[in-house]
Amino acid sequence: MRRIAYFLLIAVVLAGCKSSKHLTTTVPEVTAPSYLASKLQLTIPSKNGSMSVGGTMKMKSHERVQISLLMPIIRTEVARIEVTPSELLFVDRMNKRYVEVSYAMLSGLANMELSFGVLQSLFLNELFLPGKNMLDADDVKRFRIVQDEAGVRLQVRSGKEFDYTFHTSADQGLLEKTEIGLRGTDYVLNWNYDDFGVLDRKPFPQHMLLTVGGVRSDLSLEMKFSRLSVDDHWEGRTKVSSRYRKVELVELLKMLKGV
C-alpha cells in the first residue's frame, strides 16, 4: 500500500511540470465535465510482478483533484492525495501524518515550474498549452501538426524547456497519448489513454497508463476507472485532524520509498 502511495505521489508531482475530439488540422473544443467521479484501481510493478489497490478519484474543474486509496475488504481510506491550484496535500491515515506543500516549494524542489492546469488536463484527456487555461481556435498556430497513417501528432511550438506532443488516432481522432519530454535529458512522461467509454455523452478513457523514463528507476502507474459519473455531490476540501503530524515532503517520500 505504501509503495502504491509513493508511486502515485511521484507521478502527480512529475505530471505537473510545465515550461511556461476529432482532430484534423484544428484545435478541438474543450468540453470536459465540470465534475468527475470514479472508482479507481491502481497498479504498479513490484518485485513479485505487480501490486494493485482500489480507491476513488474525484475532480472539480479548475479547483481540485482528489485521489483516495482504500484498504481492501473493509474499504477504509488509508491515504489521500488532493491537488489544488495552490498546493498539494498528502494524508497518511495509517500513520496519522500529512504533507502540505505549496507549488512554489514544489517548483523549488523539482527545479522547474509546476502547474495544476497541466495535471488537470492529463486526467481529463485534454490538449493543453503551457501557461494557458483554455484553448481557442486561434491556438492552432501554436501547434505543429504531422499527419500519417497512424494518426495525427500535435507538437507545441513554443515549449522552451519541455517538448509536448499529443498523439491522436487516425480513425476517431481520440487523444491516445500525451508525451512531455525535458529537453537535453532522457526524462519523459508518457500518459497513455485507451478503453474509451462514454461520459456525459462524450468519449472518455477508462484506462490510463503513466510511464516515466529517464529517472534512476523507470516508473509506471496504471489506472483503471469504473462507474464514471459527473456527480457533483461530494465533500469539500479535505480537513486534516489536529492529531496528525505534519512532515516535510522529502521526509515522507523517503519513508514511503523505503517500505
Side-chain angles (χ1 to χ4, degrees):
M1 183 68 74
R2 290 187 182 182
R3 190 169 293 274
I4 288 278
Y6 169 74
F7 273 82
L8 183 58
L9 188 56
I10 286 290
V12 167
V13 171
L14 291 176
C17 299
K18 77 183 185 75
S19 65
S20 36
K21 283 225 165 174
H22 185 78
L23 298 178
T24 53
T25 57
T26 61
V27 176
E29 180 184 1
V30 176
T31 56
S34 297
Y35 292 87
L36 174 63
S38 175
K39 298 291 184 182
L40 178 64
Q41 179 181 312
L42 297 163
T43 303
I44 64 168
S46 70
K47 294 180 180 179
N48 299 319
S50 63
M51 60 184 300
S52 300
V53 65
T56 62
M57 186 189 78
K58 298 178 180 179
M59 180 181 299
K60 184 176 180 181
S61 226
H62 309 298
E63 185 173 311
R64 60 198 142 112
V65 177
Q66 184 186 95
I67 297 175
S68 295
L69 302 182
L70 306 176
M71 180 73 74
I73 302 176
I74 60 175
R75 306 296 290 174
T76 299
E77 185 180 71
V78 294
R80 177 180 292 192
I81 293 178
E82 186 169 278
V83 188
T84 70
S86 61
E87 65 182 14
L88 181 147
L89 173 68
F90 177 82
V91 182
D92 178 0
R93 304 244 185 240
M94 297 182 68
N95 296 285
K96 291 184 169 55
R97 62 191 178 188
Y98 72 100
V99 166
E100 190 175 38
V101 58
S102 67
Y103 274 97
M105 185 176 294
L106 281 174
S107 298
L109 289 171
N111 195 29
M112 62 184 69
E113 190 176 358
L114 300 173
S115 164
F116 173 80
V118 170
L119 177 65
Q120 175 180 269
S121 294
L122 288 167
F123 272 109
L124 289 178
N125 186 231
E126 295 178 335
L127 296 179
F128 60 84
L129 285 169
K132 186 161 186 177
N133 291 329
M134 296 186 66
L135 303 185
D136 54 52
D138 290 338
D139 289 321
V140 66
K141 60 180 177 293
R142 297 187 59 183
F143 292 91
R144 180 182 297 107
I145 300 172
V146 180
Q147 280 185 289
D148 55 32
E149 293 182 357
V152 179
R153 298 193 308 277
L154 294 96
Q155 300 169 330
V156 177
R157 295 178 182 274
S158 58
K160 296 179 181 179
E161 297 177 81
F162 294 88
D163 292 317
Y164 301 88
T165 305
F166 303 92
H167 301 257
T168 70
S169 61
D171 51 354
Q172 297 180 346
L174 300 173
L175 177 58
E176 296 183 334
K177 183 173 75 169
T178 295
E179 181 181 334
I180 304 175
L182 179 60
R183 289 183 180 173
T185 74
D186 294 326
Y187 166 77
V188 62
L189 170 67
N190 290 308
W191 199 296
N192 299 272
Y193 309 92
D194 59 26
D195 189 20
F196 284 82
V198 177
L199 175 66
D200 198 24
R201 300 188 299 276
K202 293 179 282 290
F204 192 85
Q206 299 173 102
H207 178 237
M208 300 183 188
L209 177 64
L210 290 63
T211 61
V212 180
V215 292
R216 183 174 301 176
S217 298
D218 286 358
L219 305 178
S220 66
L221 175 70
E222 182 181 27
M223 298 186 290
K224 293 183 179 180
F225 301 95
S226 61
R227 301 183 186 178
L228 281 159
S229 73
V230 291
D231 180 20
D232 62 350
H233 296 92
W234 50 291
E235 65 183 79
R237 294 282 296 274
T238 299
K239 296 181 180 179
V240 181
S241 169
S242 60
R243 295 175 297 172
Y244 283 43
R245 178 173 64 95
K246 186 174 183 178
V247 298
E248 297 300 321
L249 177 62
V250 174
E251 177 187 352
L252 181 65
L253 289 174
K254 287 180 179 178
M255 288 187 287
L256 293 175
K257 186 178 181 180
V259 176

